Amino acid sequence: MSLLEPAPQNNTKWAIALMLLGFFCFSITDATAKLLTGSFEPTQLAWFRQCGLFVVVLYLIGRRGISIYRTSHLRIQVIRGLATGASPILFISAIGELELADAFAVTFGAPFIVVILGAIFLNEKLTTKQLIGIIAAFIGTMIIIRPGTGVFQPAVILVFLASVSFALRQILSRIIAGSDSSATTIAYGGTISLLGLSLLLPWYWKTPTEPHDIMLIIFLAMSAGLGEYFIIKALDIAMAVILSPLHYTIIL
């Protein structure tokens, strides 16, 4: 399925596959960002990250023109775009202080936030089996990774805020999925987030000079752009309540 093809509605299996790919890409993105935190500020790394998504936006503009910015939910798209920019800054700032496993442990509260917001704003019903599955996955994940005392550092607050921002993005994506195409959501998310981060960039910019760093930055941008696309496409197809627990697969 290409970027321009409509998502097959009500195809839960396809949505799950896309969501798994999205979180796999995000795990690569976060690990790469962790490697770069010693050389670059979080705001600049978040900007690099969003450049990957904006490459996808430029591709869509080249194929469809500026018509992809036509939306029935301008305010929601703008809010979602700001959340798209805020989430990576918060998380990358945190992993500069925390072990990656500890940071991921805190983000595993995001599925609960999505489920709650989905029930409130989308009237998505959560079955008993789904609730048990979410709780069991959370407990199992904690047993496996055994987060250390680093979880109680002040940087944990940044991870929690990043999780809230990420959950908000998922819910907003689901709200507008029925009327705005995934291409439109990608366009606004990539454009608004990059513009917002660009306003902050002059205070944090450091020109990459080492070939190793440049390769990691390219890898960071590519994996982030693909991850954003896969998750938005998945939320076009299936309910957030069903897809959100797949967040736990990031432990892999």
Side-chain angles (χ1 to χ4, degrees), residues 11-35:
N11 190 334
T12 303
K13 291 182 180 180
W14 180 241
I16 289 173
L18 289 172
M19 203 71 169
L20 288 171
L21 283 172
F23 281 123
F24 175 71
C25 289
F26 279 159
S27 67
I28 293 174
T29 301
D30 293 334
T32 307
K34 174 71 173 177
L35 292 173

Side-chain angles (χ1 to χ4, degrees), residues 109-119 124 166-168 170-171 240-241 244:
F112 290 95
I113 299 172
V114 172
V115 167
I116 293 170
L117 294 179
E124 294 184 349
F166 184 75
L168 178 62
Q170 291 193 53
I171 292 300
V241 165
S244 183

Side-chain angles (χ1 to χ4, degrees), residues 40-252:
F40 301 94
E41 291 291 331
T43 300
Q44 185 174 3
L45 291 177
W47 185 83
F48 287 138
R49 186 186 188 283
Q50 296 312 107
C51 281
L53 179 57
F54 194 68
V55 169
V56 179
V57 175
L58 293 176
Y59 168 78
L60 292 172
I61 292 175
R63 294 293 300 271
R64 288 188 176 181
I66 60 172
S67 63
I68 61 171
Y69 287 102
R70 292 175 184 169
T71 175
S72 303
H73 304 280
L74 180 60
R75 182 178 299 180
I76 293 177
Q77 289 284 13
V78 171
I79 293 173
R80 188 192 174 282
L82 293 174
T84 300
S87 182
I89 288 182
L90 291 166
F91 189 78
I92 294 172
S93 297
I95 61 176
E97 304 294 331
L98 294 172
E99 293 293 331
L100 203 56
D102 290 335
F104 281 151
V106 178
T107 69
F108 293 148
F112 290 95
I113 299 172
V114 172
V115 167
I116 293 170
L117 294 179
I120 294 173
F121 296 107
L122 301 176
N123 295 319
E124 294 184 349
K125 295 181 179 180
L126 179 66
T127 67
T128 302
K129 289 182 179 180
Q130 289 172 335
L131 180 59
I132 292 173
I134 292 173
I135 295 174
F138 180 78
I139 294 173
T141 300
M142 294 301 100
I143 292 173
I144 293 170
I145 65 175
R146 296 189 297 275
T149 55
V151 143
F152 301 102
Q153 294 183 18
V156 169
I157 298 174
L158 296 177
V159 182
F160 176 76
L161 292 175
S163 299
V164 172
S165 180
F166 184 75
L168 178 62
R169 287 165 50 195
Q170 291 193 53
I171 292 300
L172 293 178
S173 295
R174 187 61 185 162
I175 289 174
I176 59 184
S179 53
D180 284 1
S181 68
S182 56
T184 297
T185 301
I186 290 170
Y188 273 98
T191 303
I192 298 295
S193 62
L194 191 64
L195 285 176
L197 291 170
S198 295
L199 294 176
L200 302 174
L201 197 60
W203 284 272
Y204 301 100
W205 179 260
K206 175 185 175 181
T207 302
T209 55
E210 296 294 328
H212 178 261
D213 287 341
I214 294 172
M215 291 299 297
L216 285 176
I217 288 168
I218 294 173
F219 196 54
L220 172 79
M222 288 177 59
S223 59
L226 287 172
E228 292 278 0
Y229 164 68
F230 288 138
I231 286 179
I232 291 171
K233 204 72 175 176
L235 290 166
D236 263 353
I237 306 170
M239 295 190 302
V241 165
I242 295 174
L243 298 176
S244 183
L246 296 174
H247 182 106
Y248 296 122
T249 62
I250 204 168
I251 186 178
L252 298 174

